[in-house]
């Protein structure tokens, strides 16, 4: 089978971003918190590959450390929101009846909140911090995963091997764990990849508003926000973090699309 | 055509012309700081004075941009030979915006309220030298001082000494009632406050503005966007000096960098460990690098200070070299004091000069082995937790009041937590010294003492960066006080 183009482009972009983030854990060209005001707005050279920002900090180091921050928030938020949402979706499909209705209606209410606005509200109530940004983004992920997991699980519940498992005397929770979950993994993973892109954007938006990770730890969103008043004299300070956000969001978005194309049996048949 | 119809047409034309001439003149002013109360006699927020003092509220006196004292509600005054008894003649026929009359009873009320036991006036010190306030008749007030006060008439011009009326004082926090050239109209919290012209003001014929709208935009990027899109006519306290070249290049605006009375300090809670230890405070002063802070946070547009007195003042001494920046030495000092490696919080109010300085100071303290945690807080939270409850380690704030070295003589209840009888006695002699030369000597002594005690980290003098449309005239370029009278502002 030929791999779709979007999967390839997505995988390359994601690999680049994840690679930069992972590398920054071990090594950055300079200490990203190191100020050197007397060397602000330096032009790119052999020492500072992309130059320095308004406080003389190395831009490459800031951007890679920002990637780490962005990935950490997105990963934690999607894992947390995804596991709770998937568990709820599995539960709804397994029990059915009023429990299913209740879970899905609550998920509908969750969808009714504009996601980012809700995240801003949480951050405003509980104070701006990295943890709260993670929680806020995780929270808006729960209904998404609940819906996807439940729809996929309902399909699997109609299969013969599930009927066989029931006949063998397994209870609903054991079936959910042993038979349903492995069989809904593909759509959930596809959704997780797409939600990863959404989470990166949400983190950028929150930290742009000052509600994400607090200084001195760098975030793309805050770099963008601080560059705003500098557009006249140093537009590159806004361009680089902007490009990073675009690359990360597009990478995960394309990767998710590509994965869906590969795993979704209906699309395979159409091809 | 008859002459009658001709004259009718002429009358119509005149009426149209008159209507056009009467088109409302509205001025929109951008502000960084939104207050939580509108009563300058009970809240220290500078923007209350910036908006309302001498505009809605009036005091006995006012000041010119040069700092000279001028008459306001007091038309004239005489001072007794011993300098202790001031006899004020009050303006006649003055009414408050709610229609009640202004007379000496209001002055008596306002002063007694400010001087009362348990008064919440933010500048109680202004009233401390007063022995008695009497009103022999409705237009006369006699104030007797316990001791001479060189700043008395100047202090009486400030918002803290606004003459508020007994009938309306309780509502002033939300609906301010004064005697000034502008009446309070509305306040949409988080957005704007509007004033309208008071047609009954004694000088109303000379006031051109019909409506003044203050917009609260703390974020410099948002403020810049609002100025650029012609939403704002004037932004007198602009917070992003890096954007000045952009505004200077734009023929719509005139840009000016003047001085304010605002000393920007890294305040340390002197009542609380570790800052009750002078060696720790000295270590902080050694750890900070003013040049770096001014370059990084203010883009070089500020004058460094080494103590608590404005560099443009006549008694200024340059003490910026008292604690030369030396991270290694600061680290050793922190180690000697046993606080190396500890975590401290730096709670900063939402003003660009403060949040930007905080980021740099955080890095400088880190170099000296101190982990400073920066908390960006809302203004209301800052007022409550830092200013009123003294619940903080360090903060950054500009003290924009004039002649405010007396802050260090306010005792342990003030948020500095600084209580030093020597400084209290020194301020006592400064404020009672009538001779200018002698007072200047004492002020110099005060600056040196505060620097020696390293009470706070003294950073820089806040510049007055104003971006004003070229057709708006009359804004003060430098502020000797917190207020900006709007009665003299014109729009061409």
């Amino acid at each position: 089978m030929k791999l779709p183009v979007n999967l390839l482009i997505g995988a390359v972009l994601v690999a680049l971003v994840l690679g930069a983030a992972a590398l920054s854990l071990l090594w950055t060209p300079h200490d990203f918190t190191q100020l050197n005001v007397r060397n602000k707005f330096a032009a790119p050279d052999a020492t500072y590959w992309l130059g320095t920002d308004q406080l003389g900090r190395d831009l490459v180091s800031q951007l890679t450390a920002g990637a780490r921050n962005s990935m950490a928030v997105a990963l934690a938020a999607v894992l947390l929101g995804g596991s709770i949402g998937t568990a709820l979706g599995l539960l709804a499909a397994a029990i059915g009846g009023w429990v299913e209705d209740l879970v899905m209606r609550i998920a509908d209410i969750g969808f009714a909140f504009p996601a980012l606005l809700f995240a801003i509200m949480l951050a405003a109530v509980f104070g701006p911090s990295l943890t709260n940004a993670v929680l806020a983004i995780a929270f808006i992920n729960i209904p998404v995963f609940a819906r996807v997991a439940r729809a996929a699980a309902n399909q699997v519940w109609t299969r013969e091997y599930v009927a066989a498992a029931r006949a063998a005397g397994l209870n609903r929770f054991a079936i959910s764990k042993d038979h349903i979950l492995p069989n809904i993994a593909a759509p959930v993973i596809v959704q997780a990849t797409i939600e990863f892109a959404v989470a990166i954007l949400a983190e950028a938006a929150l930290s742009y508003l000052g509600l994400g990770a607090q200084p001195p730890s760098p975030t793309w969103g805050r770099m963008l926000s601080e560059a705003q008043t500098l557009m006249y004299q140093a537009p590159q300070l806004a361009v680089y973090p902007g490009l990073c956000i675009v690359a990360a969001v597009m990478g995960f978005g394309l990767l998710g699309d590509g994965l869906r194309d590969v795993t979704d049996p209906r699309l395979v048949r159409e091809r | 055509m008859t002459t009658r119809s001709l004259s009718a047409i002429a009358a119509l034309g005149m009426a149209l012309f008159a209507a056009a001439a009467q088109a409302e003149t509205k001025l929109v002013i951008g502000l960084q700081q939104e207050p939580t109360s509108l009563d300058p006699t009970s809240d220290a927020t500078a923007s209350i004075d910036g908006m309302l003092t001498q505009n809605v509220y009036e005091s006995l006196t006012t000041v010119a941009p040069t700092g000279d004292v001028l008459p306001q509600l007091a038309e004239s005054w005489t001072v007794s030979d011993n300098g202790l008894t001031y006899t004020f003649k009050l303006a006649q026929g003055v009414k408050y915006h709610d229609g009640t009359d202004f007379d000496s009873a209001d002055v008596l009320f306002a002063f007694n309220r400010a001087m009362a036991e348990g008064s919440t006036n933010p500048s109680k010190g202004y009233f401390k030298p007063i022995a008695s306030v009497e009103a022999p008749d409705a237009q006369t007030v006699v104030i007797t001082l316990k001791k001479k006060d060189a700043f008395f008439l100047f202090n009486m011009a400030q918002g803290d000494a606004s003459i508020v009326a007994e009938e309306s004082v309780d509502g002033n926090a939300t609906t301010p009632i004064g005697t000034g050239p502008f009446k309070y109209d509305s306040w949409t919290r988080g957005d704007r406050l509007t004033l309208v012209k008071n047609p009954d003001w004694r000088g109303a014929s000379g006031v051109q503005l019909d409506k003044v709208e203050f917009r609260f935009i703390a974020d410099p990027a948002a403020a810049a966007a609002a100025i650029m899109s012609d939403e704002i006519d004037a932004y007198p306290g602009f917070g992003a000096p890096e954007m000045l070249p952009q505004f200077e290049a734009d023929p719509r605006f005139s840009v000016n960098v003047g001085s304010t009375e605002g000393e920007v300090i890294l305040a340390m809670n002197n009542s609380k460990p570790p800052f009750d230890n002078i060696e720790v405070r000295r270590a902080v002063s050694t750890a900070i690098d003013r040049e770096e802070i001014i370059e990084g946070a203010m883009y070089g547009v500020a004058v460094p200070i080494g103590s608590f007195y404005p560099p443009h003042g006549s008694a200024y001494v340059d003490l910026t070299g008292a604690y030369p920046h030396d991270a290694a030495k600061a680290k050793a000092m922190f180690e000697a004091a046993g606080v190396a490696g500890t975590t401290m919080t730096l709670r900063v109010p939402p003003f660009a000069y403060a949040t930007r300085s905080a980021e740099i100071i955080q890095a400088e303290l880190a170099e000296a082995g101190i982990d400073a945690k920066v908390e960006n807080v809302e203004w209301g939270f800052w007022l409550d937790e830092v200013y009123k409850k003294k619940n903080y380690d360090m903060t950054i704030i500009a003290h924009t009041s004039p002649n405010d070295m007396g802050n260090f003589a306010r005792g342990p209840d003030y948020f500095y937590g600084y209580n030093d009888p020597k400084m209290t006695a020194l301020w006592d002699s400064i404020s009672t010294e009538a001779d200018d030369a002698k007072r200047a000597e004492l002020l110099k002594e005060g600056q040196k003492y505060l620097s020696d005690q390293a009470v706070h980290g003294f950073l820089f003098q806040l510049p007055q960066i104003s971006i004003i449309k070229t057709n708006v005239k009359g804004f003060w370029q430098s502020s000797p006080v917190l207020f900006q009278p709007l009665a003299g502002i014109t729009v061409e």
Side-chain angles (χ1 to χ4, degrees):
Chain A
M1 189 180 69
K2 192 167 153 275
L3 283 177
V5 177
N6 51 3
L7 183 71
L8 283 177
I9 299 177
V12 170
L13 285 175
V14 166
L16 277 175
V17 175
L18 283 180
L23 182 65
S24 80
L25 288 173
L26 305 171
W27 176 82
T28 52
H30 299 266
D31 176 1
F32 59 82
T33 59
Q34 182 62 50
L35 303 185
N36 183 2
V37 173
R38 285 159 191 97
N39 189 34
K40 63 183 175 185
F41 303 127
D45 60 22
T47 325
Y48 301 101
W49 303 337
L50 289 177
T52 60
D53 72 355
Q54 71 276 14
L55 295 177
R57 292 170 295 203
D58 178 45
L59 266 183
V60 174
S61 310
Q62 290 246 322
L63 289 170
T64 52
R68 163 176 58 183
N69 227 317
S70 190
M71 293 306 111
V73 170
L75 187 71
V78 171
L79 273 183
L80 187 66
S83 5
I84 297 174
T86 308
L88 284 174
L90 278 175
L91 181 81
I95 298 177
W98 67 270
V99 175
E100 184 171 16
D101 281 342
L102 184 71
V103 171
M104 295 333 288
R105 291 304 81 77
I106 291 174
D108 287 345
I109 294 172
F111 269 110
F113 281 103
L116 196 59
L117 215 57
F118 185 70
I120 293 170
M121 192 189 84
L122 278 186
V125 171
F126 297 105
S129 76
L130 193 69
T131 327
N132 285 337
V134 168
L135 289 180
I137 301 169
F139 195 86
I140 59 182
N141 266 311
I142 294 175
V144 179
F145 282 92
R147 195 177 269 191
V148 168
R150 174 239 180 202
N154 271 342
Q155 278 183 11
V156 179
W157 271 100
T158 62
R159 298 286 169 83
E160 294 83 351
Y161 56 82
V162 175
R166 292 180 83 165
L170 281 179
N171 71 27
R172 293 166 195 235
F173 299 103
I175 296 173
S176 290
K177 183 167 77 69
D178 297 339
H179 300 287
I180 312 289
L181 186 59
N183 284 293
I184 65 165
V188 168
I189 288 170
V190 168
Q191 193 63 40
T193 317
I194 293 168
E195 287 306 313
F196 213 89
V198 176
I200 291 168
L201 205 56
E203 191 275 337
L206 285 178
S207 57
Y208 176 85
L209 297 169
L211 302 174
Q214 296 299 300
S217 93
T219 69
W220 293 339
R222 202 178 51 251
M223 290 173 77
L224 206 54
S225 137
E226 284 173 357
Q228 251 187 134
T229 57
L230 298 162
M231 281 300 282
Y232 193 70
Q233 44 190 299
Q236 75 276 12
L237 296 185
V239 171
Y240 294 136
L243 281 177
C244 287
I245 296 171
V246 169
V249 172
M250 204 165 82
F252 279 98
L254 288 174
L255 183 68
D257 275 356
L259 282 178
R260 187 177 52 208
D261 292 353
V262 174
T263 57
D264 192 325
R266 267 174 308 167
L267 289 175
V268 172
R269 260 200 308 279
E270 275 164 26
R271 241 186 263 134
Chain B
M1 199 181 271
T2 65
T3 47
R4 254 180 87 181
S5 60
L6 258 181
S7 62
I9 290 169
L12 187 69
M14 291 287 281
L16 279 174
F17 181 75
Q22 279 171 6
E24 193 181 63
T25 311
K26 181 178 159 187
L27 185 73
V28 183
I29 301 174
L31 285 185
Q32 243 191 92
Q33 180 188 51
E34 178 173 19
T36 53
S37 153
L38 300 179
D39 181 1
T41 64
S42 67
D43 188 298
T45 304
S47 63
I48 306 175
D49 299 279
M51 294 190 291
L52 306 179
T53 295
Q54 306 293 3
N55 293 323
V56 169
Y57 299 109
E58 290 180 308
S59 306
L60 286 180
T61 57
T62 186
V63 296
T66 51
D68 295 334
V69 178
L70 303 173
Q72 185 64 292
L73 281 173
E75 270 180 345
S76 63
W77 54 84
T78 53
V79 187
S80 67
D81 290 338
N82 63 6
L84 291 180
T85 308
Y86 288 72
T87 308
F88 294 95
K89 277 278 166 222
L90 303 184
Q92 301 225 355
V94 174
K95 277 187 189 306
Y96 281 94
H97 300 150
D98 61 355
T100 54
D101 288 317
F102 160 81
D103 60 26
S104 57
D106 295 300
V107 180
L108 221 54
F109 168 75
F111 274 76
N112 285 334
R113 177 168 168 266
M115 290 154 61
E117 196 81 23
S119 150
T120 54
N121 194 291
S123 298
K124 272 183 274 190
Y126 291 178
F127 303 91
K128 243 164 98 184
I130 298 177
S132 71
V133 185
E134 285 153 45
D137 64 63
Q139 303 309 131
T140 312
V141 173
V142 180
I143 297 180
T144 313
L145 304 186
K146 295 175 207 151
K147 52 189 182 182
K148 275 195 199 170
D149 180 359
F151 305 125
F152 182 65
L153 286 172
F154 185 86
N155 288 346
M156 288 307 110
Q158 311 305 322
D160 314 270
S162 296
I163 306 302
V164 293
E166 188 165 12
E167 294 90 338
S168 49
V169 69
D170 292 334
N172 278 347
T174 50
T175 44
I177 300 286
T179 54
F182 292 91
K183 291 195 275 193
Y184 164 82
D185 181 56
S186 64
W187 180 19
T188 312
R189 275 164 217 248
D191 182 36
R192 68 190 68 187
L193 184 142
T194 326
L195 307 180
V196 292
K197 182 177 171 175
N198 172 14
D200 303 325
W201 190 57
R202 45 199 189 284
S205 59
V207 179
Q208 196 211 356
L209 299 176
D210 296 305
K211 200 171 177 185
V212 179
E213 192 173 286
F214 295 96
R215 294 266 183 88
F216 307 112
I217 311 179
D219 176 43
I227 299 167
M228 283 286 174
S229 62
D230 287 333
E231 261 183 70
I232 288 179
D233 298 312
Y235 202 109
F238 193 66
E242 71 274 24
M243 297 191 78
L244 291 187
Q246 194 174 348
F247 286 109
E248 274 161 358
D250 194 323
R252 288 178 294 164
F253 308 108
S254 69
V255 175
N256 180 60
V257 180
S259 59
T260 69
E261 298 298 307
E263 297 91 356
V264 179
I265 58 169
L266 170 66
M268 293 176 255
N269 193 342
N270 279 241
S271 66
K272 205 173 136 182
F275 300 113
D276 52 350
N277 179 351
I278 184 170
E279 288 310 317
V280 175
R281 301 198 301 262
R282 283 180 172 156
V284 170
S285 292
T286 308
I288 56 178
D289 178 353
R290 280 185 203 90
E291 295 304 325
E292 186 174 65
I293 296 166
I294 291 171
E295 192 52 45
M298 303 302 291
Y299 291 80
V301 189
V303 184
I305 53 171
S307 186
F308 202 77
Y309 187 84
H312 55 265
S314 56
Y316 175 72
V317 263
D318 185 352
L319 295 162
T320 50
Y323 301 95
H325 168 65
D326 186 338
K329 189 178 166 201
K331 193 168 187 172
M333 290 167 86
F334 281 124
E335 270 159 15
V339 294
T342 55
T343 306
M344 300 169 184
T345 58
L346 177 51
R347 285 195 152 153
V348 275
F351 313 127
Y353 71 80
T355 52
R356 291 175 176 195
S357 301
E359 197 172 353
I360 300 166
I361 289 171
Q362 181 183 42
E364 288 170 357
L365 287 174
E367 228 176 305
I370 296 291
D371 180 14
K373 203 168 155 284
V374 175
E375 285 178 19
N376 293 310
V377 300
E378 293 297 315
W379 178 240
F381 182 92
W382 190 93
L383 266 184
D384 212 43
E385 287 294 320
V386 177
Y387 188 79
K388 291 188 183 138
K389 296 187 189 148
K390 300 193 286 286
N391 182 13
Y392 76 106
D393 295 335
M394 290 183 284
T395 186
I396 297 171
I397 191 74
H399 279 284
T400 43
S401 289
N403 297 328
D404 48 5
M405 199 185 279
N407 283 352
F408 294 87
R410 290 169 81 151
D413 290 338
Y414 195 53
F415 82 102
Y416 295 173
Y418 176 70
N419 191 19
D420 186 336
K422 191 170 169 206
M423 189 62 214
T424 312
L426 187 56
W427 177 251
D428 223 39
S429 42
I430 291 171
S431 58
T432 50
E433 180 54 65
D435 182 77
D436 284 344
K438 281 186 193 153
R439 192 170 64 239
E441 279 315 306
L442 290 168
L443 278 167
K444 285 178 184 170
E445 200 184 313
Q447 293 171 59
K448 286 176 190 151
Y449 187 67
L450 291 176
S451 162
D452 176 63
Q453 295 294 305
V455 182
H456 299 308
F458 301 104
L459 305 179
F460 55 87
Q461 194 71 15
L462 189 70
Q464 166 104 334
I465 300 174
S466 55
I467 298 166
I468 292 167
K469 283 222 185 120
T470 42
N471 63 338
V472 178
K473 308 278 185 213
F475 267 95
W476 290 357
Q477 302 204 321
S478 291
S479 295
V481 286
L482 298 178
F483 53 85
Q484 163 68 60
L486 297 167
I489 289 179
T490 56
V491 181
E492 283 164 9

